Amino acid sequence: MSSTEPTTSFVRYRVIFACMLMAILLYLDRFCISFAEVFIKDELGLSDKQIAIILGSFFVSYAFCQVPSGWLSDRFGARTMLTLYILMWSLFTALTGFVTGFIMLLLFRLGFGVGQAGAYPTSANIVSKWMPLSARGIASSMVAVGGRLGGALAPILTAFLIVLFVPISQSSELTTGDLMQPQQFAVKFMENLNKKQKYETTIYDHLTPESKEYLKAAASEKETETGTAVEADFLVNLNSILQNDTLYHSSDFADLKLNQQAEQLLIITPGELNVEERSRLNRLLLEARYYTEFRKVQGKGWRPVMVVYGVFGIVIAGFFWWTIRDYPRMHPSCSEQELEAIEFGRNEEDKDHTKEIGGIPLKAIVENRSLWMLSLSQFCTNIGWLFLVTWLPRYLDETYQVPLKERGTMITVALAVGWFGTLSGGKATDWLRNRISLRWSRVLPIVVSRFTAMAAYILLCFLDVSPWVAVALFSVVAFSTDFGSPAMWAFNQDIGGKHVGSVLGWGNMWGNLGAAIAPYLMIWVIGEDDHYWSMAFVTCAIAFFVAGVASLGVDTAQTLIVDEESEGELAST
């Protein structure tokens, strides 16, 4: 009777794919808020400082929960803990769609950070147990590239969904609060009217006498007894104009980049536009003309987007639970041949998974000089890299007035280049391991890539470039940052033994503390009112330089020396 058992299997690749899928969701949920922040800021009436606090708060809770969450996965199993982590952060993602103010948003972002903290330490735990020593670099790069894929998808997918959830059939009428800066709008409007701009002249000719007086009073900063009521009447008057007139004059919009939906509507002959299409077109033209003064009509779509991402996370959590086991020998589909391939070259103690993990090996971690040097490198790297996923949308908006969808495409292109950096970095790490020493196969990819990213930021400081050339330089930053990531993961797996989750969590903690201070640092160096972006680029270049120098001190010979009996911090109960 022939055996039904498989002679070989490839379960480890399904496991890595599940981790990669988790990482896609990880970064998709993490950075969708960076692209939606301009709409969140408008709707909730937040200041730039409050937005910086929101963006940085995630990294605070994320950083400080790295080591505990990594230890929990080492102690209670990657399958259970990472499934719980996915469900937790997905819940907070969905709840973000229901926030009503700054405090609620801050609390949800802190909870979101707690949920996501265990993702990469747990993934490193899984890779160390499921992949042969010779394939740790490429396996780590596959998980990391999942994160970069999610980060690259976040801008373009979020932009697409925001527009999708605000169809043209939905009202484009201005309501109370949509005119965010009445006095500033009135001043600019009257200035353009005095310059005999056709756009303002057409609107002014259709205004009621009361609305005209309101504009004049607002422009001169005069208060009226019925200011709120007059403003409401003005918006009603303006809505009627936006519904009945085509206000586009090419000469008035020659220097402005229009929303993609507006450009599509302009192709249609004016007489063929229905009421909803005319209203949407003219609302978008008004927003383009007075970009900071009016709330964006398409910004209403950010709330359902958060809910959709949260629900998607529940699906990913179910797939992860179904696919993963804590160890290869626990998986019913893993053959003996595959087990031999996975365990080849390992120490006997690394093959024994029956021994219970004690407390966090904090003393051994703190005494490891190489971990401190890598932590400094990660701290500075995240300061330089975080600009791409936090302030880059605002930079493209303010510097080049890039429309919403094109802005999403540009950011996606820059981050997508990072995929190739991650994959090639993993290949390079494994290739170097077979040709030079283990230490330098980890050190060189990190050091060289940090100096390359530094060079890209220096060029941005001194060159006056077009939007797409700027995107190309940001792409170099993304590629360089990601090129060194697999080497970092491999190093932590080399020295961590059974404590990979805790060890990688330690480095990630410091890296994300760098990410936590980055938004505040950027606000400080670029200024809160007039944004001096070149100062941000100088700061990022310095950060990458320090990261490169610090990486030279990394040494795989300094393995983690753990005395299990003396490691009592957070010991198991």
Side-chain angles (χ1 to χ4, degrees):
M1 181 176 176
S2 62
S3 173
T4 59
E5 291 295 319
T7 57
T8 188
S9 60
F10 301 95
V11 180
R12 62 189 184 277
Y13 299 123
R14 295 207 305 268
V15 168
I16 297 303
F17 175 74
C19 291
M20 182 179 178
L21 196 60
M22 176 281 303
I24 291 174
L25 176 72
L26 180 80
Y27 271 67
L28 183 63
D29 287 356
R30 184 181 303 181
F31 293 125
C32 64
I33 196 171
S34 298
F35 198 76
E37 64 93 3
V38 63
F39 305 122
I40 297 173
K41 177 177 180 288
D42 287 352
E43 183 172 337
L44 300 182
L46 305 179
S47 66
D48 276 346
K49 279 188 176 179
Q50 287 176 313
I51 286 294
I53 291 172
I54 294 299
L55 294 177
S57 64
F58 157 78
F59 293 102
V60 173
S61 58
Y62 182 77
F64 285 113
C65 290
Q66 286 283 312
V67 175
S69 61
W71 171 77
L72 285 170
S73 295
D74 290 338
R75 174 68 178 82
F76 296 106
R79 184 192 189 200
T80 298
M81 294 312 303
L82 192 46
T83 300
L84 291 176
Y85 295 151
I86 296 171
L87 289 173
M88 182 178 179
W89 90 61
S90 297
L91 173 63
F92 281 110
T93 299
L95 288 175
T96 301
F98 299 95
V99 297
T100 58
F102 171 72
I103 296 299
M104 187 181 292
L105 182 58
L106 177 62
L107 291 175
F108 287 169
R109 286 301 287 178
L110 288 170
F112 179 81
V114 173
Q116 288 214 334
Y120 273 170
T122 308
S123 296
N125 177 308
I126 293 170
V127 170
S128 69
K129 291 177 173 61
W130 275 92
M131 296 303 294
L133 296 175
S134 60
R136 281 179 173 176
I138 189 62
S140 297
S141 73
M142 292 302 296
V143 179
V145 83
R148 295 311 192 231
L149 176 59
L153 282 175
I156 194 167
L157 183 59
T158 303
F160 170 78
L161 290 175
I162 286 174
V163 173
L164 180 68
F165 283 119
V166 190
I168 292 177
S169 58
Q170 185 169 323
S171 174
S172 300
E173 288 192 350
L174 294 159
T175 58
T176 303
D178 284 346
L179 179 53
M180 297 183 294
Q181 301 182 46
Q183 195 269 334
Q184 184 173 307
F185 162 72
V187 170
K188 292 173 66 174
F189 184 94
M190 297 306 293
E191 288 177 351
N192 287 329
L193 182 66
N194 292 333
K195 294 176 183 178
K196 302 187 183 302
Q197 295 287 316
K198 292 181 181 179
Y199 181 83
E200 282 73 20
T201 301
T202 304
I203 290 178
Y204 193 78
D205 288 344
H206 287 80
L207 291 174
T208 63
E210 292 79 10
S211 294
K212 291 178 181 177
E213 287 301 317
Y214 164 77
L215 280 177
K216 293 176 182 177
S220 59
E221 300 185 48
K222 292 181 180 179
E223 296 290 339
T224 63
E225 294 181 2
T226 57
T228 302
V230 173
E231 181 179 313
D233 290 340
F234 168 73
L235 291 178
V236 171
N237 191 182
L238 186 56
N239 280 328
S240 67
I241 299 172
L242 296 180
Q243 290 174 357
N244 297 312
D245 296 297
T246 300
L247 303 174
Y248 179 74
H249 302 282
S250 57
S251 58
D252 289 345
F253 290 86
D255 297 329
L256 297 176
K257 292 191 175 182
L258 295 177
N259 180 287
Q260 187 175 11
Q261 191 174 78
E263 292 179 339
Q264 293 171 347
L265 290 170
L266 284 171
I267 297 174
I268 305 174
T269 303
E272 296 178 359
L273 293 171
N274 59 35
V275 175
E276 290 80 9
E277 290 170 336
R278 287 201 303 272
S279 180
R280 177 58 60 86
L281 172 59
N282 289 326
R283 171 71 182 265
L284 294 174
L285 293 176
L286 181 68
E287 291 173 4
R289 193 85 169 155
Y290 298 94
Y291 192 80
T292 60
E293 289 76 26
F294 282 95
R295 185 170 292 155
K296 313 302 178 291
V297 64
Q298 292 175 336
K300 299 174 183 177
W302 72 267
R303 290 183 182 274
V305 168
M306 298 298 165
V307 176
V308 167
Y309 286 158
V311 172
F312 181 58
I314 297 174
V315 177
I316 298 300
F319 176 77
F320 186 87
W321 175 263
W322 175 75
T323 304
I324 299 290
R325 298 294 186 276
D326 290 337
Y327 305 106
R329 291 193 176 275
M330 296 176 66
H331 204 294
S333 300
C334 199
S335 69
E336 283 299 323
Q337 289 88 343
E338 184 171 17
L339 289 171
E340 290 177 5
I342 292 171
E343 295 176 348
F344 179 76
R346 295 175 186 261
N347 296 326
E348 287 302 319
E349 61 180 21
D350 291 335
K351 299 177 185 179
D352 179 15
H353 303 305
T354 61
K355 187 176 181 181
E356 189 175 275
I357 299 295
I360 296 174
L362 191 58
K363 183 175 182 291
I365 290 174
V366 171
E367 292 177 348
N368 191 293
R369 178 178 173 276
S370 280
L371 279 177
W372 278 111
M373 298 306 292
L374 188 63
S375 297
L376 175 59
S377 178
Q378 289 182 258
F379 181 88
C380 294
T381 293
N382 270 12
I383 290 177
W385 177 80
L386 200 74
F387 184 90
L388 303 183
V389 290
T390 51
W391 296 109
L392 182 54
R394 183 83 68 89
Y395 168 74
L396 293 174
D397 183 16
E398 291 185 1
T399 305
Y400 302 108
Q401 292 78 53
V402 178
L404 177 64
K405 280 194 173 181
E406 186 180 350
R407 195 157 72 239
T409 301
M410 284 182 166
I411 298 167
T412 295
V413 168
L415 296 178
V417 172
W419 309 349
F420 302 102
T422 304
L423 292 173
S424 57
K427 282 285 188 182
T429 298
D430 289 339
W431 184 85
L432 288 170
R433 179 184 180 275
N434 296 325
R435 287 162 177 80
I436 59 176
S437 67
L438 179 64
R439 177 192 177 188
W440 289 103
S441 71
R442 291 1 181 184
V443 171
L444 283 179
I446 306 173
V447 173
V448 174
S449 62
R450 272 49 188 165
F451 289 153
T452 305
M454 175 193 70
Y457 271 124
I458 290 174
L459 290 176
L460 281 164
C461 292
F462 296 105
L463 298 181
D464 183 13
V465 297
S466 67
W468 278 107
V469 173
V471 169
L473 290 172
F474 287 123
S475 299
V476 173
V477 174
F479 180 93
S480 301
T481 303
D482 292 351
F483 187 88
S485 295
M488 287 185 175
W489 277 49
F491 168 77
N492 286 301
Q493 292 158 1
D494 293 337
I495 72 168
K498 294 181 181 297
H499 298 276
V500 171
S502 297
V503 170
L504 190 125
W506 174 264
N508 273 6
M509 177 185 72
W510 289 103
N512 285 284
L513 285 175
I517 72 166
Y520 312 107
L521 179 62
M522 288 301 119
I523 282 291
W524 181 67
V525 299
I526 68 177
E528 193 169 353
D529 297 320
D530 298 322
H531 292 163
Y532 300 98
W533 295 107
S534 60
M535 293 304 298
F537 302 148
V538 169
T539 303
C540 292
I542 293 172
F544 273 116
F545 173 76
V546 176
V549 173
S551 300
L552 290 170
V554 172
D555 188 355
T556 52
Q558 298 178 17
T559 57
L560 200 70
I561 302 175
V562 181
D563 181 355
E564 295 289 352
E565 293 183 359
S566 67
E567 294 297 332
E569 299 85 353
L570 292 180
S572 58
T573 58

